[in-house]
Amino acid sequence: YFPQDQHGIARLIPFSVLDVDGDSISLIQKYNGDEIRNPKHKNPDDPNPPVVRSLPHIIEKYIKLQNDYLKATFVVTNTSSKVMCDMFAWHPDFIAPPDGKDGVFETNHAQYSLEKIIELEPKGCLLLPGVDSIKFTNKRTWQSIEVLSEGFGNMILWSPGEKSAQVCIEPATQLPVLDRPQNYFTSGKFERLEPKQQKTYSVIIKVKQNIKQKCSTN
C-alpha cells in the first residue's frame, strides 16, 4: 500500500490534451510512480511534508457532447510490473435549489430528497451500493438530470451543505468509510489491475426539460 489522502493521487496530476475534434476532446494523464507532495497540506516550511504515491499508471479521458447528453469514458492502464489495487470515481456536480426544497433523486429502488442529502453533510454523503443510475429532478423548474454509469458498481450522493446550491452525483468502484473525520476508501474490495491490464469506465449525463413545464408555459 502507498500513502494516499481522501481523494487519492489522480486529482494531483494534470491531464494533457491529446485531441480536440468538434464536440469531443481526448485527454491523458501519465504517472511514473514518483512521490508527490500533497497540496492539501500547505506549510512550505514543513521539512517532512505529507506525500502521496502509487504504482505507475495512465488514465485516458474521452468526453463527447451529443444532442441531449454528454458521455465521459475513462481508461485506466496499469503500466507497472506489479498488480495494482485501486479505486476509481468521478463526481460531476450540478446546480440545485440552495434551500434543498423541491429536489428529488430517484434510483431503481428508492427516492431521496435533496434536503436529506444536505442534512447528511456533517458526515459526508449517502452511499448507494449496487446502484448505477440516478435521476435528479428540480420540481421548481421541472428540469432533470440523469447520470448513468457503467463499470463502477456504486454511486454516492453528497452536497457541500445548505445554501451551496450544488449537489454531486458520484459513480465509484468503492464506497468510503464514514466513521472518521474524513472519508477514506480503506476497506472493501479494491479493483485489481494486472501488469499492463486496463479497465474502462463510462458515464452518460442526460439533461431534460420535463413536459409538465412545457405544458404549463403554453
Side-chain angles (χ1 to χ4, degrees), residues 145-163:
I145 295 170
E146 190 171 10
V147 178
L148 304 98
S149 65
E150 186 173 342
F152 291 88
N154 310 287
M155 299 191 88
I156 304 169
L157 288 176
W158 61 279
S159 172
E162 190 176 3
K163 301 185 185 301

Side-chain angles (χ1 to χ4, degrees), residues 64-210:
K64 184 173 181 60
L65 182 63
Q66 297 199 330
N67 292 334
D68 64 344
Y69 71 90
L70 177 146
K71 182 174 183 180
T73 302
F74 308 89
V75 181
V76 181
T77 304
N78 177 9
T79 57
S80 77
S81 60
K82 300 179 180 179
V83 175
M84 184 173 76
C85 296
D86 73 295
M87 65 81 56
F88 189 75
W90 188 55
H91 67 72
D93 57 8
F94 307 97
I95 295 173
D99 57 9
K101 296 179 181 178
D102 301 317
V104 63
F105 300 90
E106 300 172 78
T107 73
N108 290 337
H109 310 291
Q111 291 189 356
Y112 309 94
S113 69
L114 176 57
E115 289 177 295
K116 176 177 180 179
I117 304 305
I118 291 174
E119 288 172 1
L120 293 173
E121 194 275 331
K123 198 167 185 179
C125 52
L126 177 66
L127 307 181
L128 299 170
V131 171
D132 58 14
S133 65
I134 291 177
K135 181 180 179 181
F136 172 72
T137 301
N138 181 338
K139 291 190 175 181
R140 293 179 183 174
T141 64
W142 289 105
Q143 290 179 317
S144 66
I145 295 170
E146 190 171 10
V147 178
L148 304 98
S149 65
E150 186 173 342
F152 291 88
N154 310 287
M155 299 191 88
I156 304 169
L157 288 176
W158 61 279
S159 172
E162 190 176 3
K163 301 185 185 301
S164 69
Q166 68 182 107
V167 65
C168 297
I169 301 175
E170 181 173 359
T173 61
Q174 188 175 342
L175 297 174
V177 177
L178 299 181
D179 59 354
R180 307 180 186 190
Q182 287 186 317
N183 305 324
Y184 283 87
F185 297 82
T186 53
S187 67
K189 184 179 179 181
F190 287 87
E191 297 280 277
R192 289 175 58 89
L193 285 174
E194 299 292 330
K196 314 309 177 186
Q197 183 185 1
Q198 62 181 210
K199 288 191 176 182
T200 300
Y201 312 90
S202 65
V203 179
I204 290 176
I205 301 173
K206 295 182 178 181
V207 179
K208 294 183 179 181
Q209 184 79 13
N210 195 294

